[in-house]
Each structure stands twice: as C-alpha cells, then as structure tokens.
Amino acid sequence: MRVKLIFPASGQLVSQRLRAVPAPPLSLEYLAAFFSIDDQIELIDMGRGDQPGYEDEVDLVAMHVRTPVATTAFKIADQFRCKGKKVIMGGPHPTLLPLECINHADAVCIGEGEKTLPAIIKDLKTGSLRRFYIGGPFNLTELPDEFVHFPELSDLQHLPSPRRGLFPPARYHLNGVFISRGCPYDCKFCAVKHFQGAAVRLRPIEELLSE
C-alpha cells in the first residue's frame, strides 16, 4: 500500500516553521510506525516546504489536522478525493469537530490513534472503511451509526517506535519524544483535557530509554 502522511501548513505558518522549528512533526513519524514495513510511506511536512503531490500514485492520504490549518487541510483533501484517493483525518481539529471534517474525508479519527489507526488500515485493505473511528470515551450521540469505537484510552505501554528515517537526512536539528498524555487542569483555552483525559498517563521509563 502506498501512503502519504501529511502535516499541513500554509502561508505565514510555513515561513515561521522554516525559520524557527528544528524538529520534525513527531505525529507523522509515530503514525508511520503502525503501517506494515512493506507499505510505501511518504511523510509530507508542509511547514518545511514539502508539496502534497496530487499527481502521485497513492492508496491513502492521512492528515494530522490542527485548527489553524484546517481550511488548508480541507482544500488538500478535496483535491485528492477529486482524483479518487482515500483520505482520512485525525488530530485535534477532527477530534473536536468530526462532523465538519467528514465533509472532506472518507474517514475521521476521533481521539487517540493507537487502536483506531490499525482498525482503519485493516478496514481499508478489506474495502470496509467506516466513516468514524473513535479512540477514547467520547460522546457519540451526534455521530451517524457508521463508526468503530474503542472506549478506553491507551495505557501508553508497548507503543511502536517512531520511524525516524523517512524524512530527508539532516533536514532537522533534533528529534522529539513524548512521555505523557492528559492533564488534570481545566484551562478554558486548552483542549488537551477534552481529548487526552483528565489524568496524566505516563509511558514506561524503560520504553522511553529504549526509544
């Protein structure tokens, strides 16, 4: 399977990232680890000037969508879908506004991807892709019936290691690693508690050291 994983950016966000961000988007490297080693994975960091490549032969386009670039992500998704490509969206914006995002995608991932992404890949390969895949204890009352739900948040154990060799060598100055998710505070301007839970979950120290 040929897969594009895209980190969208546009305009001022591109120029800011080119100047100021020395690390790759960890979300793409981490998501790539859930695909088979036989799959052809291409990572697209538009914040570093990468282009989507609408004419490329690809079986799946997956995007990590943040609210500041949601409009750009929708335009990219629409272009790929016009060419008959399957598009899935995940990340903070699809988690908070899945019904908006499904207008531009074949499937939307709500919440965390440890359980949902393997299910999406399996269903895509068998031709049974559903519209919504939910990872976490979210309210499902507004969603249509066509969804797959994993109600428990990940315990963050035995996670795959990010595939760090897929970006061009020497492009970035450092790599990142995540150690926890969740937050016990209730800041009104922040959505972390909403989609990562109110308790801090820590990855096992030995696994962090190994990574």
Side-chain angles (χ1 to χ4, degrees):
M1 187 165 66
R2 295 158 298 186
V3 182
K4 282 182 183 283
L5 301 180
I6 299 179
F7 194 74
S10 63
Q12 186 179 7
L13 289 174
V14 172
S15 61
Q16 288 175 347
R17 187 169 171 83
L18 285 170
R19 290 195 307 267
V21 180
L26 179 59
S27 58
L28 298 195
E29 295 179 314
Y30 181 55
L31 293 174
F34 287 90
F35 289 88
S36 167
I37 196 68
D38 296 323
D39 292 326
Q40 300 176 30
I41 310 296
E42 182 182 9
L43 306 188
I44 305 294
D45 181 3
M46 295 182 65
R48 298 297 294 186
D50 293 341
Q51 298 302 308
Y54 296 115
E55 302 303 324
D56 296 344
E57 289 296 324
V58 64
D59 301 300
L60 175 66
V61 176
M63 285 191 279
H64 178 95
V65 183
R66 300 154 294 143
T67 297
V69 296
T71 300
T72 297
F74 295 160
K75 292 177 181 178
I76 295 169
D78 291 345
Q79 288 265 29
F80 276 112
R81 295 182 81 205
C82 282
K83 296 179 179 298
K85 313 303 183 186
K86 293 291 185 183
V87 175
I88 64 173
M89 290 185 180
H93 194 78
T95 294
L96 296 172
L97 292 171
L99 294 180
E100 176 185 70
C101 293
I102 197 60
N103 293 318
H104 306 276
D106 297 281
V108 168
C109 177
I110 300 169
E112 299 184 334
E114 281 79 14
K115 299 174 184 177
T116 55
L117 184 55
I120 289 172
I121 295 169
K122 178 182 176 181
D123 289 350
L124 181 68
K125 290 183 175 181
T126 59
S128 56
L129 189 68
R130 260 70 70 87
R131 299 181 72 199
F132 299 96
Y133 292 78
I134 304 100
F138 293 95
N139 184 353
L140 310 180
T141 56
E142 295 184 0
L143 292 181
D145 291 337
E146 195 176 350
F147 62 78
V148 176
H149 186 205
F150 301 93
E152 300 297 326
L153 293 171
S154 169
D155 61 10
L156 303 187
Q157 297 187 55
H158 311 302
L159 302 183
S161 295
R163 292 180 61 180
R164 300 189 186 276
L166 297 178
F167 281 119
R171 170 188 278 187
Y172 304 100
H173 301 310
L174 54 85
N175 284 317
V177 60
F178 86 89
I179 65 172
S180 66
R181 289 188 191 152
C183 182
Y185 301 107
D186 196 22
C187 303
K188 295 187 181 302
F189 58 82
C190 182
V192 168
K193 183 177 179 179
H194 176 75
F195 62 87
Q196 292 188 359
V200 176
R201 289 168 290 146
L202 297 171
R203 293 182 62 193
I205 294 297
E206 62 276 10
E207 294 182 22
L208 284 169
L209 292 173
S210 175
E211 183 178 323

